[in-house]
Amino acid sequence: MIKSKPFLANFFNLGFIQVSNAVIQILLFPIIIRIIGLHEFGYAMVANAYAALAGLFINYGTNQSGIKDVAINKNNGKALNEIFYTVYYTRFLLFLLSMMVLAGLYGFSVPHARYFLFASTIVFAEMLNPLFFFIGIEKLFFYNVANLLAKLLSALLIIVLIHANTPGWWVNFYLGLSSTIFFIPLLVYLVRQYQLTRYRISIEAMRQFLKHNFFLTGNNLFVQLQQSFFLFTLSGVVSPLVLGAYSLCDKIVWSFRLLIVSFSSAVYPRAAVLFREQKELWHSYKTTINGWLAVCFLLAAGGLLWLAPWIVTLLTSKPDALTTLYIRSVAFVPFVAALNAMNVIDLLVKNRYSYLFTIGVILCSIAIITSFLFVKLGHENWYGYFPIIIEVCSLPLYFLFIRKTHA
């Protein structure tokens, strides 16, 4: 039997984290848009997408492999020490590398580089983020409280300190600063509670870790790129208002992705143990979960289609035909993404990181080609269909590679 209580507790805790993230930031969207305008909002969200990409690079797959490692070794103090410091030494070195790249962009006067520079606080916060450890030990209360306080603080700073003439780059600065303030005490708590004394790892151990997570990290970056590349492309070729409209829809899809991620993260620790001990039960469990995900996100798709005009008016304070069209165009994106959630976990628990990497490369290539075709041949009314094309392409790829694991 699957122990449902830890899973349900983990899911509701993670659901609280992601829902609070999504709800607070969605509530902030109309405030930010009305203060700085839809055009500045678009550039701020492009920088936010960059910060998410850099955060994935710095995490180097530890938000996935780290969860599994902690879950399996949570009663082994020595192993937890090794896992904890390997993760954070790696993140710190990659953070320094990312800052060197950012300094280069700023030094060469890349357009809108200041938006990216001020978003570096989000990247720094992601380096500190101890979520992987709390999920692995299945104790999320303190993280929940800190995460909620961080989001409330960011909302307060944005509302109080950002005014009509404030540059849009301060939005991301305050988002990252608030998370940093609350992640630091969480790390102190973990070090004291689990006696994570200083641990030195050898250069060889670091090399092995980097090698082990290379394909997983590559997949994560390519997945993020397949979602963000079109946004980056649009930032250089369309008007600020079109960019703002698409950015808003991109963030709505992102909010649903947070819910999918929360569910996947809740399932993952239990799935790793279940697959190792009861492979047959894992397959029936995966099928059941897929069914529930399909029903829930199909209902969400219907809601987006029906409520699109009302959502636009709520977020921007006025009707906008283009933004409404974009929301309706992306309505089924969360549904298709949810269908793939358990497929990703299936490959993760089987340690098929190279398969994930290959899928990521293929989808990123499709996204790049499709982006250029949309910009070159398409009308701006078509831009909203880009996300659903990429998501639909991902389904057969995952099915193909999962079948290869059965061979």
Side-chain angles (χ1 to χ4, degrees):
M1 289 288 293
I2 300 170
K3 296 179 180 179
S4 59
K5 186 175 180 181
F7 161 71
L8 290 174
N10 224 24
F11 172 65
F12 285 117
N13 277 314
L14 283 162
F16 179 82
I17 292 170
Q18 307 296 8
V19 169
S20 65
N21 284 348
V23 168
I24 292 174
Q25 293 197 43
I26 284 178
L27 291 175
L28 276 175
F29 288 164
I31 297 173
I32 295 170
I33 293 170
R34 292 173 193 184
I35 294 175
I36 66 175
L38 193 59
H39 60 291
E40 279 287 302
F41 177 81
Y43 291 127
M45 292 304 101
V46 170
N48 190 273
Y50 155 78
L53 187 66
L56 286 174
F57 171 69
I58 290 165
N59 273 310
Y60 206 75
T62 56
N63 275 351
Q64 292 155 305
S65 66
I67 292 173
K68 183 177 71 173
D69 293 340
V70 171
I72 292 173
N73 297 286
K74 61 184 175 182
N75 296 318
N76 185 333
K78 182 179 179 180
L80 285 181
N81 265 273
E82 183 175 350
I83 294 164
F84 183 85
Y85 287 103
T86 300
V87 166
Y88 279 103
Y89 289 166
T90 303
R91 286 184 178 184
F92 179 70
L93 291 174
L94 295 177
F95 174 75
L96 293 179
L97 180 59
S98 72
M99 292 306 295
M100 292 171 60
V101 172
L102 185 58
L105 293 176
Y106 193 76
F108 284 103
S109 300
V110 173
H112 313 300
R114 186 167 294 183
Y115 288 87
F116 298 106
L117 181 64
F118 275 70
S120 61
T121 57
I122 296 177
V123 182
F124 182 74
E126 194 59 31
M127 181 193 73
L128 299 177
N129 191 349
L131 179 59
F132 78 97
F133 202 97
F134 282 95
I135 295 176
I137 60 176
E138 299 182 276
K139 295 179 180 178
L140 281 158
F141 175 76
F142 290 121
Y143 188 94
N144 275 346
V145 173
N147 183 71
L148 179 60
L149 291 175
K151 298 309 174 189
L152 292 175
L153 177 61
S154 66
L156 180 64
L157 290 174
I158 289 171
I159 292 171
V160 173
L161 298 179
I162 293 183
H163 307 288
N165 296 323
T166 304
W169 54 68
W170 285 104
V171 172
N172 289 316
F173 179 82
Y174 292 134
L175 289 174
L177 177 64
S178 302
S179 295
T180 299
I181 290 172
F182 285 95
F183 284 161
I184 290 174
L186 285 178
L187 286 172
V188 173
Y189 165 79
L190 287 178
V191 169
R192 292 183 176 180
Q193 181 69 21
Y194 292 91
Q195 299 179 354
L196 302 173
T197 55
R198 282 191 304 173
Y199 178 79
R200 295 182 180 179
I201 61 174
S202 65
I203 295 177
E204 177 61 22
M206 180 74 76
R207 189 185 71 82
Q208 288 296 328
F209 176 77
L210 291 171
K211 180 180 178 181
H212 181 265
N213 273 27
F214 174 79
F215 288 119
L216 181 59
T217 304
N219 172 72
N220 291 340
L221 290 173
F222 283 125
V223 168
Q224 182 65 29
L225 267 177
Q226 77 194 37
Q227 298 163 13
S228 302
F229 186 85
F230 190 52
L231 181 62
F232 294 148
T233 303
L234 289 182
S235 68
V237 298
V238 300
S239 69
L241 290 178
V242 173
L243 178 64
Y246 185 84
S247 297
L248 183 57
C249 296
D250 182 70
K251 281 302 174 183
I252 291 173
V253 172
W254 165 83
S255 300
F256 280 100
R257 290 190 191 280
L258 284 179
L259 295 177
I260 296 170
V261 168
S262 71
F263 190 90
S264 300
S265 298
V267 169
Y268 189 32
R270 188 62 53 190
V273 176
L274 184 64
F275 179 79
R276 187 177 63 173
E277 298 175 355
Q278 297 173 289
K279 288 185 175 61
E280 298 80 9
L281 191 57
W282 155 247
H283 293 299
S284 62
Y285 178 64
K286 174 188 169 185
T287 301
T288 302
I289 295 296
N290 271 335
W292 282 108
L293 285 173
V295 171
C296 292
F297 283 91
L298 189 59
L299 292 174
L304 284 176
L305 285 171
W306 182 43
L307 298 173
W310 179 82
I311 293 171
V312 172
T313 303
L314 176 66
L315 295 179
T316 66
S317 77
K318 59 183 179 181
D320 185 85
L322 184 62
T323 308
T324 300
L325 177 63
Y326 285 172
I327 291 178
R328 284 176 168 160
S329 301
V330 302
F332 285 93
V333 172
F335 168 69
V336 180
L339 294 180
N340 253 337
M342 296 303 289
N343 293 333
V344 175
I345 291 177
D346 190 278
L347 293 175
L348 283 172
V349 297
K350 295 173 181 176
N351 291 323
R352 302 289 186 165
Y353 297 163
S354 62
Y355 287 1
L356 288 168
F357 179 80
T358 303
I359 292 171
V361 171
I362 295 171
L363 288 175
C364 190
S365 300
I366 294 172
I368 292 172
I369 294 170
T370 307
S371 294
F372 287 125
L373 288 175
F374 265 68
V375 171
K376 190 71 175 178
L377 306 175
H379 188 272
E380 63 184 30
N381 288 350
W382 299 2
Y383 293 163
Y385 294 104
F386 173 84
I388 190 64
I389 291 173
I390 305 304
E391 288 297 337
V392 169
C393 289
S394 70
L395 279 175
L397 285 172
Y398 276 98
F399 289 143
L400 173 65
F401 281 91
I402 286 175
R403 286 189 65 182
K404 290 181 66 175
T405 67
H406 298 153

